[in-house]
């Protein structure tokens, strides 16, 4: 009996272990937080001269619903490794302000290993670290703002489970390679002059222009910018002139400088973008003015012709025609005023149309009818109009041979 009990207990333990193993690695795929990146991404890393554990950076674009993963190449510059379609994000364009507004954040965030969550209820996740120093300086509140799987969002950026596995694996390997944190840049849209001009009347345009400065720093350097906060604003690639003086989010900015090569390249890009922005904004404004004038003109025309249409219908139905008896015109007017109905009481559309149909034109004056009847040339006559009688002549034709 004891041996049987021991065998039964061993079988139960073995079964539990088997079940636990199935749940942990899901039929041999390995624990979800330890799975390698997909083969397609491995091939891309090889093609782009990237090591598997080199640093990464992520860019998010709300309006386009796109997430880009950039990775450092062996040359030290970053290249775009993969672009994922965001499954869902909540809220609208603009930053998050307070807990419960269901807004997905916009700004610059640093993700450390402590913010990675392998046991997320949404498959896998990492916390954005909202609110950051800038958000806190502006009194913004919120918590648990994530990039996660399960394609469900309440203020987060939700991906599919397959996508988040690749993103999580890339982040995990970058930490193994020595990266202490990776940057997430969350934008309302791609920060192009076209998009900025399209949203020129938005209340957040000033904030977005500040974000665009960081966007431009990355565009010209192809390395993630160093992000600081002072005077409640973002500052990029800044180094204090006095060693040891820190940037404080709500305090006055210390004296700092940006490397001349970076500042000149960013200034040149922004000057070119600003010129294009002004051109596009003027064009968009002119187009909107034309559309507004056209709408107002069409509205006035509709009002005028709407009233004129009612008057015309009444006149046509009641005024007798000069080419038909008054009694006939009166009958037509009565018919127009009281259209016949069918057995269900619905108006007979044919009768109404007949009442407003154009009448046949008169055949003309008496003299005109006489000429048309007797002159053997000119307009062609028909048998219904008249038949020509015999014509006499003094000339006798010769006999036929």
């Amino acid at each position: 009996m004891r041996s049987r009990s021991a065998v039964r207990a061993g079988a139960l333990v073995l079964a539990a272990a088997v079940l636990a193993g199935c749940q942990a690695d899901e039929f041999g795929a390995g624990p979800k937080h330890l799975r390698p990146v997909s083969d397609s991404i491995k091939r891309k890393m090889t093609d782009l001269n990237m090591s598997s554990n080199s640093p990464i950076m992520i860019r998010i674009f709300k309006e386009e619903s796109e997430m880009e993963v950039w990775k450092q190449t062996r040359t030290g510059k970053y290249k775009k490794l993969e672009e994922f379609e965001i499954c869902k994000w909540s809220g609208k364009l603009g930053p998050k302000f307070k807990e419960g507004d269901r807004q997905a954040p916009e700004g610059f965030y640093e993700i450390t290993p402590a913010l990675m969550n392998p046991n997320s209820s949404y498959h896998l996740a990492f916390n954005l670290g909202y609110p950051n120093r800038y958000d806190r300086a502006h009194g913004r509140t919120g918590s648990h703002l994530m990039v996660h799987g399960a394609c469900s969002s309440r203020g987060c950026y939700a991906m599919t489970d397959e996508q988040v596995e690749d993103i999580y694996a890339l982040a995990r390997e970058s930490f193994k390679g020595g990266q202490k944190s990776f940057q997430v840049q969350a934008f309302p849209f791609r920060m192009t002059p076209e998009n900025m001009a399209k949203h020129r009347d938005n209340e957040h345009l000033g904030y977005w222009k500040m974000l665009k400065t960081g966007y431009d720093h990355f565009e010209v350097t192809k390395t993630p910018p160093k992000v600081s906060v002072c005077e409640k604003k973002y500052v990029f690639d800044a180094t204090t002139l006095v060693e040891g003086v820190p940037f404080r989010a709500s305090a006055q900015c210390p004296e700092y400088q940006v490397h001349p090569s970076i500042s000149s390249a960013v200034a040149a890009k922004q000057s070119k973008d600003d010129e294009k922005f002004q051109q596009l904004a003027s064009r968009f404004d002119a187009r909107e003015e034309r559309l507004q004038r056209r709408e107002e003109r069409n509205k006035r025309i509709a009002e005028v012709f709407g009233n004129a249409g009612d008057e015309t219908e009444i006149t046509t139905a009641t005024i007798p025609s000069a080419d038909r008896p008054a009694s006939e015109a009166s009958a037509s007017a009565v018919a127009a005023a009281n259209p016949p109905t069918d057995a269900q009481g619905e108006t007979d559309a044919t009768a109404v149309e007949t009442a407003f149909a154009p009448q046949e034109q008169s055949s003309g004056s008496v003299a005109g009818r006489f000429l048309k009847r007797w002159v053997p040339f000119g307009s062609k006559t028909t048998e219904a109009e008249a038949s020509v009688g015999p014509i006499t002549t003094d000339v006798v034709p010769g006999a036929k041979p």
Side-chain angles (χ1 to χ4, degrees), residues 54 101 148 180 194 300 326 361:
S54 64
D101 63 6
H148 59 65
K180 297 185 181 302
E194 292 82 1
R300 289 196 300 270
Q361 296 182 352

Side-chain angles (χ1 to χ4, degrees), residues 59-61 106-108 134 183 185-197 204-221 225 234-237 262 265-278 280:
R59 293 203 301 185
I60 292 172
F61 303 102
E106 294 173 7
F108 292 81
Y134 177 91
Q183 192 174 104
Q185 304 174 358
F187 300 107
F189 40 74
R190 295 189 181 278
M191 310 302 278
T192 63
E194 292 82 1
N195 284 334
M196 297 294 284
H204 304 303
L205 182 63
Y207 177 67
W208 292 340
K209 285 183 176 179
M210 180 176 57
L211 296 187
K212 184 180 180 299
T213 301
Y215 177 93
D216 292 340
H217 273 249
F218 178 74
E219 286 292 304
V220 301
T221 65
Y234 285 114
V235 179
F236 304 97
D237 290 321
I262 298 176
V266 170
K269 181 181 186 304
Q270 291 184 334
S271 177
K272 184 178 179 180
D273 288 350
D274 287 343
E275 182 179 357
K276 192 170 184 179
F277 170 86
Q278 295 298 335
L280 291 169

